[in-house]
């Protein structure tokens, strides 16, 4: 079954760094994903497409503080120098031939 | 600037129909696959349906298969979602979403632009 798993919540202090994880289901380690951010009361916003080799291409206007990396079935989103506006829900997304799958989302709290 | 503007949402009784529209601008609409994604109140994102640039390849989530129909008009730069036999569990904010440039025959890929959504409420 094609599943993306995310921790429901994460927290980190203002100015610190945080690494969010998205885990692909077994047998899907070669899949790319995308990361999307949803700030409170707003629509989602594309952050980046993250490939299996860790290379990534970011959306328009996404700051350098946001980066991605990969290891096996894990895909990571690292946010450095956390700012208050980074407090949001973060979703990973992947796709097959005729299907799109979202992770359950991680709610990031900036302390 | 890429813009996706949804419309057509509203309050509808269970079993009735509704048609959503999405007006696209700022990019070459007929080069890209397009999708609908929904978000129930307080819940996460759920993929609904996608359509290739030329409408040849269409895909649906199991939860809407047989009830919803996606279509597009490349000349008018519009994406549509015809929703029939609506249920309470279809209540959600529906987003129109653009796919990053992918191979011409494909329908799925990374989403790179989202609309602001249109709210559908199914209730008697």
């Amino acid at each position: 079954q094609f599943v993306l798993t995310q921790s429901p919540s994460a927290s980190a202090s203002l100015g610190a760094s945080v690494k969010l994880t998205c885990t692909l289901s077994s047998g899907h380690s070669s899949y790319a994903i995308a990361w999307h951010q949803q700030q409170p009361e707003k629509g989602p916003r594309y952050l980046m497409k993250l490939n299996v080799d860790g290379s990534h291409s970011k959306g328009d206007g996404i700051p350098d503080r946001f980066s991605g990396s990969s290891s096996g079935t894990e895909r990571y989103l690292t946010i450095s120098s956390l700012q208050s506006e980074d407090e949001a829900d973060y979703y990973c997304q992947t796709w097959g031939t005729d299907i799109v799958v979202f992770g359950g989302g991680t709610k990031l709290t900036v302390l | 600037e890429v813009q996706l503007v949804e419309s057509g949402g509203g309050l509808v009784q269970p079993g009735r129909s509704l048609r959503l529209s999405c007006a696209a601008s700022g990019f070459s609409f007929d080069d890209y696959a397009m999708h609908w994604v929904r978000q129930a109140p307080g819940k996460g994102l759920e993929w609904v349906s996608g359509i290739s640039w030329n409408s040849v390849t269409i895909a649906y989530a199991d939860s809407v298969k047989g009830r919803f129909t996606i279509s597009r008009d490349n000349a008018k730069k519009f994406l549509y979602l015809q929703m029939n036999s609506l249920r309470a569990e279809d209540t959600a904010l529906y987003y129109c979403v653009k796919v990053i440039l992918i191979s011409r025959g494909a329908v799925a890929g990374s989403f790179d632009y989202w609309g602001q959504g249109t709210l559908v409420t199914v209730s008697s």
Side-chain angles (χ1 to χ4, degrees):
Chain A
Q1 195 174 1
F2 205 174
V3 175
L4 293 176
T5 302
Q6 299 182 253
S7 297
S9 63
S11 62
S13 300
L14 200 64
S17 293
V18 68
K19 191 174 188 179
L20 306 182
T21 303
C22 173
T23 303
L24 289 148
S25 46
S26 176
H28 297 100
S29 60
S30 64
Y31 281 69
I33 71 156
W35 283 104
H36 304 275
Q37 176 195 61
Q38 188 174 30
Q39 294 172 319
E41 306 306 318
K42 290 191 174 182
R45 174 193 185 193
Y46 167 68
L47 293 177
M48 68 181 69
K49 179 189 173 190
L50 176 58
N51 298 312
V52 63
D53 62 358
S55 62
H56 53 278
S57 54
K58 288 193 276 191
D60 296 337
I62 303 303
D64 292 342
R65 304 187 294 106
F66 291 82
S67 63
S69 56
S70 298
S71 178
T73 57
E74 313 249 287
R75 305 286 180 265
Y76 306 105
L77 173 69
T78 299
I79 312 171
S80 58
S81 303
L82 273 168
Q83 301 181 4
S84 57
E85 60 262 35
D86 298 331
E87 186 160 290
D89 293 325
Y90 291 84
Y91 294 92
C92 54
Q93 173 228 338
T94 193
W95 55 92
T97 303
D98 58 358
I99 188 172
V100 173
V101 177
F102 285 99
T106 296
K107 185 176 186 62
L108 174 64
T109 300
V110 179
L111 305 171
Chain B
E1 180 195 3
V2 172
Q3 285 200 327
L4 301 168
V5 180
E6 304 92 337
S7 60
L11 174 63
V12 62
Q13 293 178 327
R16 304 298 290 263
S17 299
L18 208 58
R19 187 198 199 203
L20 305 184
S21 299
C22 169
S25 61
F27 65 104
S28 183
F29 183 71
D30 54 7
D31 277 342
Y32 294 89
M34 297 292 295
H35 289 245
W36 290 97
V37 173
R38 68 184 181 185
Q39 186 171 34
K43 302 295 184 183
L45 301 173
E46 180 190 13
W47 173 69
V48 174
S49 181
I51 185 168
S52 63
W53 71 277
N54 59 358
S55 305
V56 168
T57 306
I58 286 175
Y60 297 99
D62 288 343
S63 57
V64 306
K65 204 171 289 184
R67 300 188 298 124
F68 289 11
T69 302
I70 191 172
S71 61
R72 65 189 293 162
D73 185 329
N74 285 345
K76 294 181 179 177
K77 299 185 179 182
F78 267 81
L79 176 73
Y80 303 102
L81 186 67
Q82 177 67 41
M83 305 185 295
N84 298 332
S85 303
L86 282 162
R87 306 167 180 166
E89 53 265 36
D90 295 319
T91 294
L93 192 57
Y94 283 73
Y95 294 102
C96 171
V97 192
K98 173 186 169 291
V99 177
I100 221 165
L101 194 60
I102 54 178
S103 58
R104 295 285 268 178
V107 64
S110 169
F111 297 151
D112 64 349
Y113 286 95
W114 298 73
Q116 285 304 299
T118 186
L119 181 62
V120 173
T121 304
V122 184
S123 174
S124 53

